[in-house]
Amino acid sequence: MASIVILYYLHYILIASGISSAFSLLGVTIHEYTDASQGEIGLLLMSLPFVITVARPYFCYLADKHAAHRRYFIASLICIVITYLPMFAIPFFPSFYPNHGRVSWWIMVLVSIVGTATIEVALSLGDTLAVNAADRTNSAFGRMRTCGTLSWGIVCSRIGFALV
Amino acid sequence: MIGQFNETSALPKYTPGFIILMLSMLLNAILFTFWTKDAFVLGDKNKLPADGQLRSAECYDSAFSSLEGTLRMDKNSTKSEFKAIQIRQDLNNKLNNLAQLNKDQIQVDEAVDAKSSSLTELDLACTQQSENQPVEKQAEKQKANLQITLLKMILKEDKRLIKYLTLYAVLGFITSPIGFLFLSIEEASKGSSYNFSELAGCVIMSQAFVESFFFFILPYANKLMSRIHRVMLILILLSIRSVYYSTFYYTSGASLYWAALAECAQGVTFAVYTTLNAELSLMFSNLTTSFIPRLRQLGVIGDPSAIGDEQARKEEASVDTALRASLQSSFGTALEGLGYGLGCLACGLVYDSYGHINMWRMMAVVTLLAFALHLLVELSQSKYSDLYRARRRSLVIPVTIVTCYDKPELEQDCH
C-alpha cells in the first residue's frame, strides 16, 4: 500500500516541476526566438484554454472507453517530450531563427497548442489514477497534491532566479 | 545569483527549463511503466454490490464529505425500482407461457388442417426476431457508447452534476485575473519606491505557502466542513479579495505588499477546489454501479445466468470504472478551459477599456452574484442542491445551512 502512495507523491513532484519550468518560460522563449509581437503571443496564450476545453475531455473519454488509463497517461507523457523537442532544439540553431522568424513562430505555435493539450490530458489522467489510488488505500489525496504545489513553488522560483 | 546559469552554462537562453520538463516527464513515464500494476487498478471488485442488489439506498448524500457516492433516490423509489424489475420479470414469464400455449395450439391446428394459413412457429419466431431487432440494436449502440449512456443516466438522476460543472466554470472565471493582477501591480508600482520583482515574488510565495498548508490540513478540515460550507468559504474569500482590490488596495495609499495577504485567499481557494474536484469526480463516477440492474434490463450488460459469473463481474467492473477519467477531466475543463478562458477574455477587454479597478469591480460583482445564487440553490433544496429532500420541499432557515454538522437520520428523514 505504501508503494502505491509513494508512486503518486513522486508523480506530483515530477510533473509539477516539469510543468512549472515550461509554463513560466513559454512566453519569454517565444519572444526571444521568434519575430512575434506581444499581441500575437498574447493571442496564442489566450487561445490555449479553449484548446484545453476540447482536447482534455475527449482524450479522457477515450481512456475510459478503452479502459487504458495508464497506457494513455504514459503515451501523453512521451508525447509531451516529443512535442517540446522543437522548442528545445530551435535555440541551438542561431542561424535559423533570426532568418526564419515566421517559420520559427509557427513551429512554436504548434508546439504550444499540442504541448498544452497533452500536458492537460496527462494532468487529468494522473489525477484520476492518484484519486483512485487514494480512495483504495484510504490515504489523503491532499497530501499527495501538496508535494505538487511545493515542487511547483521551489522549481518556479529557482528557474526564475537562475535563468532570467 | 540571478542569471548565473546563463553565464556559466553553454546552453542557449531558457533551454534548461525545457530540459527539466523533458527529463521529469521521461522519468515519470519510466516510473509508471515499471511500477507494480496494483498501483493502477481503478475501482475495487470487492466494493461492487452483490448480484440483483442496488447500491445502499440513502436518500441523499450526507453533509460530510464522502468519497462514496450514492444514487439520490428516496427509499420508496428504491423499492419501486425493485418492484419494476419484479413486474417486468413476471410479465416476461407470462408472455413466455402464452407463447408456449400458442405454440401448442398451432401444432394442434396444423395436425387438424395441413393447409392452415395461420402463423407457423417459424413465422412466429421471425416476427419475434424482427420485433426484438430494434431493441437489440439499441442495446448494442448503448453498449458501444457506454460512457455516454451512463452520463445521460447520471444527469437524469442527479442534477448536482450540472450545478457543480457550472460552479467550476464560474470559479475559473473568477480566478482568471491573476495575470492581470501582476500587470496592475506593475502599473501601480511605477514611479514609486516599490521593486516590482520583489512584490511579485512575495505574492507568489504567499499563495504557494498557503496553498501547501491548506492541502496538508484539508483531510482534517473536510471532516468539519460539508461541501456547501467549503463552496461558501471560497466564494466569500474570493469576494473579499475582489472587493479589497477594487476599493482600498490601489486608492488608500497603504503598502502594495498587502496583496501578499489578499492572495492567501487564492491559495485557500485553489486547495479547496482541487480536493473538491477529486471528491466530486469520484462520487459521481461511483454512481454508475447503481445503474447495473437498469443496464441489465436494457440488455447493455449481460445476465450472470446467460453469460456466466466471471463475464458478468467483468462487465460490472467496466461499468464501475466507465467514467473515472471523463468526470475528473470535466470539472478541470470547466475550470481551466471554459471558465478561465472566458474570464481572461472578459478581464482583458475590461482592463483595456476601463482600467484595472473596474476589472476588479466586475469580478467582485460576479463573485457576489455567484455566492447569492449558490445560497439560493442550496436553500431551496431543489434537485440541484446537496440538501435535496424528495418529499419535504420547505424553505430551510439559514441556521440549517450554517450548522448542518449532524449526520442525517436516514430512517427518520426518508419519508
Side-chain angles (χ1 to χ4, degrees):
Chain A
M1 199 170 92
S3 66
I4 296 172
V5 172
I6 284 168
L7 169 67
Y8 292 102
Y9 279 100
L10 290 171
H11 156 68
Y12 276 111
I13 290 170
L14 289 169
I15 207 164
S17 54
I19 293 170
S20 70
S21 56
F23 273 7
S24 51
L25 297 175
L26 190 67
V28 290
T29 308
I30 295 175
H31 183 65
E32 178 78 17
Y33 296 109
T34 67
D35 65 355
S37 63
Q38 292 281 18
E40 284 172 330
I41 296 173
L43 200 63
L44 171 64
L45 294 175
M46 183 211 76
S47 64
L48 293 179
F50 299 103
V51 168
I52 294 167
T53 310
V54 172
R56 196 171 180 173
Y58 179 65
F59 284 101
C60 289
Y61 156 73
L62 284 181
D64 272 336
K65 189 169 180 176
H66 300 128
H69 301 86
R70 179 174 161 223
R71 273 176 271 171
Y72 269 80
F73 177 65
I74 294 169
S76 62
L77 290 175
I78 293 169
C79 277
I80 292 170
V81 174
I82 295 168
T83 309
Y84 277 94
L85 268 175
M87 201 173 254
F88 167 70
I90 281 175
F92 286 93
F93 297 95
S95 57
F96 176 75
Y97 57 85
N99 300 323
H100 301 96
R102 273 292 100 180
V103 175
S104 182
W105 158 244
W106 285 112
I107 292 172
M108 296 280 190
V109 164
L110 202 63
V111 166
S112 305
I113 288 173
V114 177
T116 307
T118 43
I119 282 175
E120 294 297 328
V121 169
L123 276 173
S124 263
L125 290 173
D127 282 345
T128 307
L129 292 167
V131 162
N132 282 276
D135 183 33
R136 282 177 58 229
T137 57
N138 286 326
S139 47
F141 172 71
R143 301 259 163 75
M144 293 177 187
R145 199 60 189 77
T146 311
C147 296
T149 307
L150 287 172
S151 166
W152 183 291
I154 292 167
V155 172
C156 217
S157 57
R158 290 301 96 199
I159 283 281
F161 273 115
L163 297 184
V164 178
Chain B
M1 187 184 168
I2 295 173
Q4 64 182 21
F5 202 87
N6 287 331
E7 289 167 7
T8 56
S9 76
L11 293 168
K13 213 174 172 186
Y14 307 129
T15 49
F18 295 99
I19 294 177
I20 294 171
L21 168 72
M22 291 192 292
L23 282 176
S24 58
M25 297 302 158
L26 269 174
L27 197 56
N28 213 357
I30 289 167
L31 279 175
F32 272 74
T33 308
F34 295 110
W35 211 269
T36 53
K37 289 195 178 160
D38 193 36
F40 310 111
V41 173
L42 294 186
D44 189 343
K45 285 180 191 172
N46 296 328
K47 281 188 187 174
L48 288 172
D51 187 34
Q53 289 176 1
L54 286 178
R55 201 125 176 175
S56 61
E58 292 175 347
C59 63
Y60 49 84
D61 285 336
S62 74
F64 289 87
S65 87
S66 163
L67 287 182
E68 287 278 328
T70 56
L71 198 56
R72 287 181 356 141
M73 305 183 294
D74 49 5
K75 263 192 175 178
N76 293 332
S77 61
T78 311
K79 281 184 195 167
S80 66
E81 183 92 4
F82 271 118
K83 267 189 196 168
I85 293 167
Q86 277 172 358
I87 289 167
R88 172 93 186 190
Q89 279 172 351
D90 286 342
L91 268 172
N92 278 338
N93 289 337
K94 282 179 186 169
L95 280 168
N96 287 337
N97 288 340
L98 272 171
Q100 187 61 40
L101 277 171
N102 267 344
K103 195 174 145 187
D104 292 340
Q105 188 61 40
I106 285 160
Q107 281 174 351
V108 165
D109 285 344
E110 275 180 351
V112 170
D113 187 356
K115 289 186 183 177
S116 167
S117 60
S118 61
L119 284 172
T120 61
E121 189 184 313
L122 187 61
D123 286 338
L124 252 178
C126 287
T127 318
Q128 280 173 2
Q129 199 179 15
S130 62
E131 278 168 0
N132 285 339
Q133 263 174 6
V135 172
E136 280 171 5
K137 271 188 183 167
Q138 197 186 11
E140 269 177 32
K141 201 177 165 188
Q142 282 173 337
K143 194 172 184 176
N145 295 321
L146 182 63
Q147 278 73 32
I148 295 173
T149 309
L150 285 168
L151 192 64
K152 282 181 190 169
M153 284 179 171
I154 291 177
L155 282 169
K156 201 176 163 193
E157 289 290 343
D158 197 342
K159 304 281 186 217
R160 287 178 300 171
L161 183 60
I162 299 167
K163 177 188 90 171
Y164 281 115
L165 284 171
T166 316
L167 177 71
Y168 268 79
V170 169
L171 281 175
F173 188 93
I174 294 167
T175 54
S176 60
I178 185 70
F180 297 95
L181 171 68
F182 293 114
L183 270 174
S184 59
I185 290 178
E186 197 189 13
E187 254 185 57
S189 62
K190 270 180 193 167
S192 64
S193 60
Y194 294 104
N195 181 346
F196 169 68
S197 302
E198 270 182 27
L199 202 50
C202 267
V203 165
I204 293 175
M205 295 287 270
S206 80
Q207 236 183 50
F209 276 127
V210 170
E211 201 177 290
S212 310
F213 176 70
F214 267 83
F215 267 127
F216 196 75
I217 67 164
L218 269 172
Y220 304 110
N222 284 349
K223 290 177 189 168
L224 300 174
M225 290 175 14
S226 70
R227 273 195 291 276
I228 300 170
H229 293 148
R230 277 181 271 161
V231 172
M232 278 169 61
L233 172 72
I234 57 182
L235 287 173
I236 288 170
L237 285 175
L238 288 172
S239 54
I240 292 171
R241 170 184 174 249
S242 305
V243 166
Y244 173 66
Y245 282 134
S246 61
T247 49
F248 301 110
Y249 181 66
Y250 296 102
T251 53
S252 66
S255 168
L256 291 180
Y257 282 95
W258 280 106
L261 187 65
E263 286 306 302
C264 292
Q266 173 73 13
V268 174
T269 305
F270 185 85
V272 171
Y273 70 54
T274 307
T275 44
L276 190 64
N277 177 7
E279 178 191 319
L280 287 172
S281 61
L282 203 56
M283 184 184 89
F284 285 113
S285 58
N286 279 342
L287 291 180
T288 53
T289 49
S290 307
F291 298 123
I292 285 174
R294 211 176 296 177
L295 290 172
R296 282 221 177 96
Q297 259 182 299
L298 294 169
V300 178
I301 58 173
D303 209 66
S305 54
I307 57 171
D309 272 343
E310 207 185 312
Q311 182 64 19
R313 287 283 159 217
K314 274 186 192 170
E315 289 187 349
E316 282 171 11
S318 71
V319 168
D320 185 33
T321 59
L323 285 176
R324 299 282 166 127
S326 309
L327 285 171
Q328 180 75 37
S329 69
S330 61
F331 292 105
T333 305
L335 181 83
E336 290 171 20
L338 201 62
Y340 191 81
L342 291 174
C344 285
L345 267 174
C347 288
L349 287 168
V350 174
Y351 194 104
D352 266 343
S353 314
Y354 302 106
H356 55 265
I357 293 181
N358 284 317
M359 183 197 76
W360 286 115
R361 280 183 190 147
M362 176 187 79
M363 280 301 153
V365 165
V366 170
T367 319
L368 288 168
L369 273 175
F371 177 73
L373 198 61
H374 176 255
L375 204 61
L376 194 69
V377 165
E378 299 300 339
L379 277 176
S380 63
Q381 293 186 312
S382 63
K383 286 184 178 177
Y384 297 93
S385 161
D386 271 342
L387 298 175
Y388 172 60
R389 298 280 195 278
R391 302 268 168 171
R392 280 187 313 179
R393 295 285 307 275
S394 54
L395 271 178
V396 176
I397 50 176
V399 169
T400 312
I401 296 275
V402 172
T403 60
C404 55
Y405 290 115
D406 299 325
K407 260 197 164 163
E409 295 292 335
L410 298 176
E411 291 297 323
Q412 291 164 8
D413 289 347
C414 296
H415 291 150

